[in-house]
Amino acid sequence: MTMATMSAISPSVDTAAVKAIRQFNRFYTRQIGALDPYLGSDMSLTDVRLLYELAHRETAVASEIGRDLGLDAGYMSRILRRFESAGWLTREPHARDARQSVLRLTEAGHAAFAPLQQKSRDEAAALLGSLAPAQRQQLVQAMGTMQSLLDPAAPPPKPQAAVLRDPAPGDIGWVVQQHGEIYAREYGWDSSFEALVAQIAGEFLQKFQPEWERCWIAELNGERMGSIFVVRKSAAVAQLRLLILSPAARGLGLGGKLVDECIAFARLKGYRKMVLWTNSGLTAARSIYARRGFQLTGSELHESYGKQLMGETWELRL
């Protein structure tokens, strides 16, 4: 820090605090590799940030993205032209403003972005992996405190529209992990339930019939939030399996959206009935099924996952 810079600091600000901020900035940029080629690619941090916005905005307009990211219009225009040249981006006329274009990533653009997003997730998970659960929560709360103190007037982030997509490598493992963690934490089920989910998920991958079966992964703001599966039980019967929602996704109608996708797919494929098996204590899921016309057709006490449970069979005529 030069003498000129030191003299510009308000007398009310402790110079030790200024040094602490600068030391943290140096530490964190090194910790997340911000000074290295971003995520091991040949793109800059700005390139990848812009790709993220294009991938996750329902309506992407250049002027809005540039304002939100604080990008110079000329600089952003050059990046967008580069994306277009690579076949990653298309432009469509804006329905309400002829001066604007709606920007959309092509399949090639999504394919270029997907591995970068996954690597970003993996690196964030690796940072948290060495911490105990309580320490992770403490870190997340501290980051939220920093953000609210430094930008108190900023409104909370607007939730993006949920995206339902096909599974990518690593997603099925995430489904198993979510079932194991959530059911252990919220219902006290033991690891035998996670083993069952791993078996079901493994069979889906090994015996997958793409003409008759589907899996959807739900994303919100680029983060995995839920899943659901349709598997072929017989030529006339589809089975709904492995509906799961992360706690952060609850109350947004995402569970119903996933079930609706399953029903629509089953009807499109000519199935005459959809069945599912659940337990009486899973009230939120049971409510979703009942609102869509599923009928409870049988129940039976069983001892599983370290608990005494009431298993239920539900059916929907298609």
Side-chain angles (χ1 to χ4, degrees):
M1 184 179 291
T2 66
M3 292 300 296
T5 305
M6 289 288 289
S7 64
I9 298 174
S10 168
S12 63
V13 177
D14 185 357
T15 56
V18 173
K19 290 181 179 178
I21 289 278
R22 297 184 67 223
Q23 179 180 355
F24 176 80
N25 287 343
R26 292 192 297 271
F27 159 77
Y28 192 63
T29 52
R30 183 173 65 250
Q31 190 78 8
I32 65 173
L35 303 180
D36 303 326
Y38 194 66
L39 297 174
S41 74
D42 58 359
M43 285 188 279
S44 69
L45 175 60
T46 303
D47 290 344
V48 177
R49 188 71 181 87
L50 183 51
L51 273 177
Y52 177 92
E53 295 297 328
L54 292 169
H56 292 100
R57 292 195 181 214
E58 190 169 3
T59 303
V61 177
S63 58
E64 295 175 358
I65 297 176
R67 181 190 64 234
D68 293 345
L69 297 183
L71 292 179
D72 172 78
Y75 177 43
M76 180 171 172
S77 180
R78 290 193 293 275
I79 298 175
L80 292 176
R81 285 198 299 270
R82 180 153 44 84
F83 287 176
E84 283 185 281
S85 297
W88 295 353
L89 182 68
T90 62
R91 299 176 189 258
E92 301 172 5
H94 196 290
R96 296 184 302 277
D97 188 348
R99 299 167 301 174
Q100 301 275 9
S101 295
V102 176
L103 309 174
R104 299 193 189 281
L105 285 187
T106 63
E107 288 188 12
H110 281 287
F113 174 65
L116 297 174
Q117 176 165 258
Q118 186 59 50
K119 187 167 185 181
S120 179
R121 290 185 186 129
D122 293 343
E123 289 187 356
L127 281 174
L128 295 170
S130 62
L131 302 177
Q135 292 174 316
R136 296 174 194 171
Q137 185 65 24
Q138 184 181 5
L139 177 62
V140 171
Q141 289 174 346
M143 290 189 293
T145 300
M146 288 178 64
Q147 185 172 351
S148 62
L149 288 174
L150 294 174
D151 194 7
K158 295 180 181 179
Q160 303 280 341
V163 175
L164 303 187
R165 59 168 177 80
D166 292 333
D171 283 335
I172 302 302
W174 177 85
V175 171
V176 176
Q177 177 191 19
Q178 288 296 294
H179 277 81
E181 291 180 354
I182 290 173
Y183 281 85
R185 181 173 63 247
E186 299 185 5
Y187 300 99
W189 292 8
D190 64 26
S191 60
S192 63
F193 177 66
E194 186 173 357
L196 173 64
V197 174
Q199 178 183 349
I200 294 170
E203 288 179 355
F204 177 83
L205 288 175
Q206 293 166 2
K207 302 177 181 178
F208 181 50
Q209 302 177 65
E211 182 67 19
W212 303 105
E213 300 179 328
R214 283 290 300 273
C215 165
W216 288 270
I217 301 295
E219 279 193 354
L220 195 63
N221 297 334
E223 297 297 323
R224 291 175 291 205
M225 288 292 174
S227 73
I228 201 165
F229 293 64
V230 174
V231 299
R232 184 177 174 87
K233 190 173 179 66
S234 73
V237 180
Q239 185 172 6
L240 185 152
R241 310 201 81 169
L242 300 184
L243 171 63
I244 191 77
L245 285 181
S246 297
R250 295 171 187 170
L252 303 177
L254 191 51
K257 187 174 182 179
L258 285 165
V259 173
D260 289 341
E261 285 292 322
C262 287
I263 295 171
F265 174 81
R267 285 178 172 151
L268 178 66
K269 293 301 178 181
Y271 288 111
R272 294 198 295 272
K273 182 170 67 174
M274 176 171 279
V275 300
L276 65 90
W277 185 84
T278 187
N279 283 280
S280 61
L282 307 183
T283 55
R286 294 171 80 255
S287 177
I288 291 173
Y289 305 142
R291 288 198 300 269
R292 280 151 182 83
F294 280 88
Q295 299 291 321
L296 176 62
T297 58
S299 58
E300 183 180 3
L301 282 170
H302 64 104
E303 184 172 350
S304 304
Y305 329 129
K307 299 289 181 178
Q308 291 284 341
L309 301 170
M310 177 67 75
E312 297 180 342
T313 301
W314 292 64
E315 296 183 358
L316 174 67
R317 294 288 175 180
L318 299 173

